[in-house]
Amino acid sequence: MTDIIVGVVALAVVLLFFLYQNLKTKRYKLPPGPTALPVIGNLHQLQKLNPQRFFYGWARKYGPILSYKIGSRTMVVISSAELTKELLKMQDVNFTDRPQHRSHEVISYGRRDMVLSHYTPYYREIRKMAMNHLFSPTRVATFKHVREEEVTRMMVKINKAAEKSEAVDVSELMMTLGNSVVCRQAFGKKYNEDGEEMKRFIKIVYGIQNVLGKIYFSDIFPFTGYVLDDLTGLTAYMNECFERQDTYLQEIIDETLDPNRVKPETESMIDLLMDIYKDQPLASDFTIENVKAVILDIITGGTETAAAGVVWGMTYLMKYPKVMKKAQAEVREYMRERGLTFVTEDDIKNLPYFRALVKETLRIEPVIPLLIPRSCIQDTKIAGYDIPAGTTVNVNVWAVSRDEKEWGHDADEFRPERFLEKDVDFKGTDYEFIPFGSGRRMCPGMRLGAAMLEVPYANLLLNFDFKLANGMKSEDINMDVMTGFAMHKSQHHMLVPQKVWK
Ligand code: HEM
């Protein structure tokens, strides 16, 4: 009998909750979108595979601003350059917050990092510190030799494969490169690429990416508390990944505190953060947990983004051989004339077609295609529709890159020349092209990210011609993305390199 009464009361609470939510949203004139079911909203319609293309499809049906529901939460997607400008320029301050998400809270030590932090005075302080110190042009330049050494190592590996006419896994090579560069920049650690420590680091990174991308019942059905998360194993998995990450970061911090430690030749990012911990120059407390949280941003931001970009670039180049030839010719001629054998960061500015190719790569496959979701702070209007406080907003950069008003009818074509015809850059003020985002939450690692992408990309073009592995034809290349923080090509890109210089 007691069970029945508890059941009836629970059902009544759920119904009242949804009735209240329904009445609340009825007051608003929300952007158009698909009809939502009671309780789950549009959850059943969402696709995990290629979400950027899925939302692009919805945008074609419902328009450049659309809304849908996940459980009781209102979600909005923006898909045109004009409305992106409205959101990230005109109303930027009101959209600087990040939405509620259980694992984001846990993994980031209660949002003490930058990526997931709410828009608080603490956030503004660390963001300023990061712009002035962590990611300043001087700091980015101090790690130039690290990036170049690691790319050289990668070229040696490809060379060996070329000598044996063996295929290389470009996705794997680029991920390894990203991990090695990040470990050296962030911690001053040079791991053996196939060694146990690197394997441990990779497992931690995968765990973080995985946990951050999951949907938690407690976020979409808050009335269930953590019960469903616990029952489905989500809580246990999240805690396990967090423990793994925390143990690793604590070990790194202990090492930096060891008075007998041999300091790396270039001051690593964690040393700089530990100085802030020791000197406490910020108005907000900067504890060891804050150090861990910020270093986590450097790991998540740095390991995958540039790698995914180069893999997409090499994928499109295999589909567009004329573009490949033109880019190779420019890089090779420039280097041959100067008798050089390694493209450095300084050479890139003298390679206009290659620079256009980098932009076109980031336009056609932006590696964070839905940006990192923003949360609306106060009720507002966009394009005549109400956006209630607490709404989660995504900008579908992938769709904005295909906005015909800005890019014409051939936006799906891979054509770097468009960037020679149109003076557009990714610095966040040309709203039709924002692979690094825009406004107050724009990527602070843009300069570093661009360097990590351009140097391996240019050296691949300089040193090798490529064929698709296993007799694959270019039209058969799978273009699906793997959902995560940065969206990789889901199937690894296998190519057979041929040496250009004998
Ligand atoms: C090709 C490389 C990269 C791309 C395409 C990229 C792209 C982005 C994008 C789209 C955002 C969201 C911006 C927004 O919401 O408006 C972002 C945020 C961020 N990125 Fe990057 N990123 C790259 C490399 C890096 C690197 C190397 C780091 C650090 C080592 C980094 C650190 C961050 C951080 C900390 C944020 C959060 C900023 C905030 O919320 O205030 N990124 N990035």
Side-chain angles (χ1 to χ4, degrees), residues 109 111-113 121-123 125-126 273 276-291 294:
Y109 300 83
R111 302 200 187 243
R112 293 175 200 216
D113 72 328
Y122 163 71
Y123 164 79
E125 274 202 291
I126 47 159
L273 293 171
I276 298 175
Y277 162 70
K278 285 175 202 151
D279 302 341
Q280 294 292 323
L282 309 180
S284 324
D285 255 5
F286 198 76
T287 65
I288 287 289
E289 303 220 310
N290 295 56
V291 174
V294 176

Side-chain angles (χ1 to χ4, degrees), residues 169-282:
D169 182 338
V170 182
S171 308
E172 191 69 45
L173 284 171
M174 283 306 305
M175 293 281 279
T176 308
L177 174 72
N179 288 327
S180 304
V181 170
V182 164
C183 287
R184 289 183 67 184
Q185 293 181 153
F187 316 126
K189 285 207 169 283
K190 202 169 174 176
Y191 292 138
N192 171 355
E193 284 173 6
D194 304 315
E196 287 310 308
E197 275 306 298
M198 184 52 105
K199 281 189 192 140
R200 180 182 176 203
F201 178 77
I202 292 171
K203 192 169 175 197
I204 291 165
V205 175
Y206 277 153
I208 298 171
Q209 307 279 7
N210 219 340
V211 166
L212 293 182
K214 289 209 182 303
I215 294 181
Y216 290 77
F217 293 102
S218 51
D219 290 330
I220 52 177
F221 309 124
F223 56 90
T224 61
Y226 296 144
V227 176
L228 293 177
D229 291 347
D230 293 351
L231 285 176
T232 50
L234 278 168
T235 306
Y237 181 63
M238 177 181 74
N239 290 339
E240 183 194 318
C241 291
F242 175 75
E243 286 302 322
R244 218 182 288 141
Q245 144 201 326
D246 190 54
T247 310
Y248 175 75
L249 292 177
Q250 188 59 51
E251 282 172 22
I252 300 271
I253 286 175
D254 290 344
E255 277 178 36
T256 64
L257 291 169
D258 178 355
N260 299 322
R261 167 189 179 229
V262 184
K263 276 206 161 192
E265 80 249 44
T266 312
E267 188 189 43
S268 64
M269 288 172 164
I270 201 149
D271 286 306
L272 186 131
L273 293 171
M274 287 304 283
D275 285 345
I276 298 175
Y277 162 70
K278 285 175 202 151
D279 302 341
Q280 294 292 323
L282 309 180

Side-chain angles (χ1 to χ4, degrees), residues 20 68 95 161 276 285 425:
Y20 168 72
Y68 67 100
F95 289 96
I276 298 175
D285 255 5
D425 210 337

Side-chain angles (χ1 to χ4, degrees), residues 88 98 114-116 123 127 135 182 185 269 297-299 301-303 305-306 362 367-368 371-374 434-446 448-450 452-453 485:
L88 300 182
R98 297 284 188 220
M114 228 181 313
V115 179
L116 305 170
Y123 164 79
R127 167 108 194 172
F135 303 123
V182 164
Q185 293 181 153
M269 288 172 164
D297 282 350
I298 292 160
I299 297 175
T303 45
T305 43
L362 290 170
V367 294
I368 308 188
L371 293 189
I372 302 170
R374 311 285 184 107
I434 51 159
F436 292 93
S438 170
R440 285 173 172 75
R441 296 214 78 138
M442 186 178 167
C443 177
M446 180 183 76
L448 184 59
M452 286 169 70
L453 184 149
F485 174 69

Side-chain angles (χ1 to χ4, degrees), residues 459-500:
N459 281 291
L460 285 173
L461 297 179
L462 171 69
N463 291 306
F464 306 100
D465 289 331
F466 291 98
K467 277 196 314 208
L468 286 166
N470 308 321
M472 187 190 252
K473 295 200 182 72
S474 63
E475 56 272 27
D476 297 332
I477 300 177
N478 182 300
M479 301 299 277
D480 287 340
V481 304
M482 187 170 71
T483 318
F485 174 69
M487 297 220 193
H488 285 272
K489 183 178 177 311
S490 71
Q491 280 188 10
H492 282 207
H493 195 41
M494 305 293 296
L495 295 177
V496 182
Q498 289 168 317
K499 276 209 289 191
V500 179

